[in-house]
Amino acid sequence: MTEPRQLIEAVARALPALRGGRPQREMTSIVPSQNVAGSALILVIAIMTFLSCLTLGAVTLVRDTASAWQTQIAREATIQIKPEDGLDMEAALADAQRVAVGFAGVRSATIVDRGATQRLLEPWLGAGFDLDELPVPRLVIVAIDPAGPPDFIALRAALAEAVPQAVLDDHRTWVDRLVAMANTTVTIGVSVLALMLAATVLAIVFATRGAMAGNGHIIEVLHFVGAEARFIAREFRHHFLLIGMKGAAAGGLAAAAVFLGFSWWSSLNMATPQADQATALFGNFAIGASGYAGVVLIVLVVGVLTAATSHLTVVSYLGDIDATRREG
C-alpha cells in the first residue's frame, strides 16, 4: 500500500490539473502552522497555565505555612496567670514554672518578664504605660518535646492546685482549626486547578474542531484515498503539542517570575511592619523546589493534555466521516 506521505504528494500533484492547470504549490502541512486560531489558542493556554500555576503555588504556600504554624504550636504551651487582689504575681509565676518543669515531656518553662510583656502590649497601648495599673495576665512559655508531650490533664490539675489563678493553654483548639483551614484551602485550590485544566481541554477541543473544519476537504480526500486515521491524527497531535507547550511554557515562566518577584520583595522589605505581617501569614513567599517542580509538572501536563485531546478529537471526527459514509 502506498505510504501516507506519498499519498499526500500524489494528491498535491493532482490538484493543479483539477484546478485548470495552475502551477504546483510547495508541500505544506495539513494543519496550518500559523493562523489566528493557533495564536489565540496559545494565548488561552498561557493564561490558563499561568492561573493554574498561581493556584498551585498559593496552595503550596498555605500548606507549608500551616505546617510551620502547626509545628511551632505543637512545641509550645502557655500558662496564663490572671492578676487578683492580694496575689503575689512573681511568686505565682515561679510556682507555675516549678510545676511545669517537673513534668516529663516539658523541656523548659520561661517566665515572660515585665519588659517583654510591656513590649507585647505597646502596639495597642502605646509606650510608657504602667503595667501594675492594668489587669494584664502574665505568661509562662512552656517548651514541649513534640516526640513525647506531657500529660496535659495532669499538668492542669497540678497547676490548679499550686496556682489556682493559672490557666494552661496547649493550643490544641488552634491546631485543629489550623489543620481544618489548611485542608479546606488545599481542597479548594485543587478543585480550581481541575476546573482550569478542564477549561483548557475544552478550548483545545474547539480549536481542533475549527482546524478540522478549515481543512476538512483535504482531510476527507486523504482519508478516502487511503491515509490512515492515525497518520492524520499524528499530524494534528504534533501541531497542537507544539502549541500547547509554547503556551504552557509562557504561562509557567510568568508564574515563576511572579513568585520570584514576591520572594525578592519580601526579602527586600524584611524589616518593615507590612512585610513582617505578610511573612507571619505566608512565610517569605518562597514556594521552594517542590513548588517550582509543580510548575514544571503543570506545564508538561498541559502539553500532554493538548496533544491527547487533539488526537482524540481528530479520531472522533474521522469516525464520524466513516459512519456517514457507511450510512450513505
Side-chain angles (χ1 to χ4, degrees), residues 169-225:
D169 184 5
D170 60 357
H171 311 299
R172 190 171 304 172
T173 302
W174 291 103
V175 170
D176 294 339
R177 292 179 180 178
L178 184 63
V179 171
M181 181 197 71
N183 292 337
T184 302
T185 303
V186 170
T187 302
I188 293 174
V190 171
S191 301
V192 172
L193 182 62
L195 289 175
M196 289 180 180
L197 293 178
T200 304
V201 170
L202 291 177
I204 296 165
V205 170
F206 289 128
T208 309
R209 288 285 185 178
M212 294 291 290
N215 301 274
H217 59 289
I218 299 176
I219 294 172
E220 292 181 8
V221 170
L222 291 172
H223 189 53
F224 289 154
V225 299

Side-chain angles (χ1 to χ4, degrees), residues 48-62:
M48 290 294 185
T49 305
F50 175 73
L51 295 176
S52 299
C53 292
L54 285 186
T55 302
L56 180 65
V59 169
T60 302
L61 283 177
V62 171

Side-chain angles (χ1 to χ4, degrees), residues 5-311:
R5 285 287 181 185
Q6 297 174 346
L7 288 172
I8 295 177
E9 295 174 358
V11 172
R13 287 194 297 269
L15 285 177
L18 296 175
R19 294 173 177 173
R22 294 180 183 178
Q24 182 175 340
R25 297 181 180 180
E26 295 182 359
M27 284 291 299
T28 59
S29 173
I30 63 175
V31 185
S33 58
Q34 294 292 335
N35 54 28
V36 176
S39 301
L41 182 60
I42 290 177
L43 181 60
V44 170
I45 292 177
I47 294 173
M48 290 294 185
T49 305
F50 175 73
L51 295 176
S52 299
C53 292
L54 285 186
T55 302
L56 180 65
V59 169
T60 302
L61 283 177
V62 171
R63 183 198 61 192
D64 293 345
T65 304
S67 177
W69 285 352
Q70 184 176 357
T71 301
Q72 292 175 359
I73 291 175
R75 291 177 178 176
E76 286 187 354
T78 304
I79 300 174
Q80 176 180 279
I81 302 178
K82 300 177 181 180
E84 291 183 358
D85 293 336
L87 175 66
D88 186 349
M89 180 60 73
E90 298 302 326
L93 289 170
D95 291 339
Q97 182 185 34
R98 175 181 51 79
V99 171
V101 296
F103 273 77
V106 174
R107 291 181 173 177
S108 64
T110 304
I111 298 174
V112 180
D113 59 23
R114 294 173 59 86
T117 304
Q118 285 182 328
R119 288 192 296 272
L120 289 174
L121 297 175
E122 280 182 1
W124 292 272
L125 302 179
F129 64 92
D130 188 357
L131 190 62
D132 294 330
E133 296 180 357
L134 299 174
V136 178
R138 298 289 300 278
L139 301 177
V140 178
I141 305 301
V142 180
I144 297 172
D145 183 4
D151 186 348
F152 289 108
I153 297 177
L155 179 56
R156 281 192 179 91
L159 285 172
E161 182 178 354
V163 185
Q165 297 82 5
V167 177
L168 174 66
D169 184 5
D170 60 357
H171 311 299
R172 190 171 304 172
T173 302
W174 291 103
V175 170
D176 294 339
R177 292 179 180 178
L178 184 63
V179 171
M181 181 197 71
N183 292 337
T184 302
T185 303
V186 170
T187 302
I188 293 174
V190 171
S191 301
V192 172
L193 182 62
L195 289 175
M196 289 180 180
L197 293 178
T200 304
V201 170
L202 291 177
I204 296 165
V205 170
F206 289 128
T208 309
R209 288 285 185 178
M212 294 291 290
N215 301 274
H217 59 289
I218 299 176
I219 294 172
E220 292 181 8
V221 170
L222 291 172
H223 189 53
F224 289 154
V225 299
E228 296 181 355
R230 62 183 180 181
F231 163 73
I232 301 174
R234 184 172 67 245
E235 291 290 314
F236 276 82
R237 184 175 67 243
H238 177 72
H239 174 74
F240 282 95
L241 176 61
L242 292 178
I243 288 179
M245 291 305 298
K246 288 179 181 178
L253 288 175
V258 169
F259 286 114
L260 287 174
F262 272 115
S263 179
W264 174 78
W265 174 85
S266 177
S267 61
L268 191 65
N269 299 275
M270 187 87 58
T272 62
Q274 296 85 352
D276 289 341
Q277 293 177 5
T279 303
L281 289 174
F282 304 107
N284 58 355
F285 287 99
I287 59 177
S290 61
Y292 289 108
V295 170
V296 174
L297 180 61
I298 290 292
V299 170
L300 295 177
V301 167
V302 170
V304 171
L305 281 178
T306 305
T309 303
S310 62
H311 177 86

